[in-house]
Amino acid sequence: MEVSELKSFLRIDDDMEDKEIESLQKSAEIYLENAGVKKLYDNELYCYAIKLLVSYWYDSRTPVAIGKTSKNLEFSLNSIIIQLANEGDSRDRKSVV
């Protein structure tokens, strides 16, 4: 995914924070990988999960008290991660059949 696509999602026009956005994208990839999701940039759901994480982290750069994360983000992201992780499993099962 290009930084320009993330900037469009974040509604950012200038280039001043490109490095920060790239860093957030890499962090989101690692976050999803640690959750059992393979890097799947050809999958729209994977791309949306990256955008959700980058957007949330970009907008929430101030310290947050533990337990104060957005429940909406938590629910939607957990649901997406489960679907993406299971997609890899279902692809493996289909190739065995």
Side-chain angles (χ1 to χ4, degrees), residues 18 35 66 71:
D18 283 7
I66 294 175
K71 293 297 179 191

Side-chain angles (χ1 to χ4, degrees), residues 6 25 57:
L6 289 168
Q25 179 182 2
W57 291 338

Side-chain angles (χ1 to χ4, degrees), residues 90-97:
S90 67
R91 284 184 183 173
D92 293 342
R93 286 190 296 257
K94 287 177 185 176
S95 64
V96 173
V97 175

Side-chain angles (χ1 to χ4, degrees), residues 1-90:
M1 173 179 301
E2 298 293 324
V3 172
S4 60
E5 188 174 345
L6 289 168
K7 287 170 53 176
S8 175
F9 188 78
L10 296 168
R11 298 181 181 168
I12 297 173
D13 295 326
D14 60 54
D15 298 332
M16 293 177 58
E17 301 200 49
D18 283 7
K19 294 289 183 195
E20 178 71 20
I21 295 167
E22 287 174 3
S23 176
L24 292 172
Q25 179 182 2
K26 289 176 186 173
S27 296
E29 290 170 355
I30 293 168
Y31 182 94
L32 292 174
E33 184 180 329
N34 289 343
V37 176
K38 295 177 184 172
K39 202 181 287 190
L40 302 164
Y41 274 108
D42 59 334
N43 183 311
E44 288 297 319
L45 194 55
Y46 179 84
C47 292
Y48 188 62
I50 293 290
K51 290 174 184 176
L52 280 177
L53 282 167
V54 170
S55 176
Y56 181 73
W57 291 338
Y58 181 83
D59 291 339
S60 305
R61 291 180 280 178
T62 57
V64 176
I66 294 175
K68 298 289 184 184
T69 60
S70 166
K71 293 297 179 191
N72 290 334
L73 174 70
E74 186 178 325
F75 173 76
S76 60
L77 189 57
N78 284 339
S79 177
I80 289 170
I81 288 171
I82 289 167
Q83 290 179 41
L84 288 169
N86 288 334
E87 180 179 307
D89 293 341
S90 67

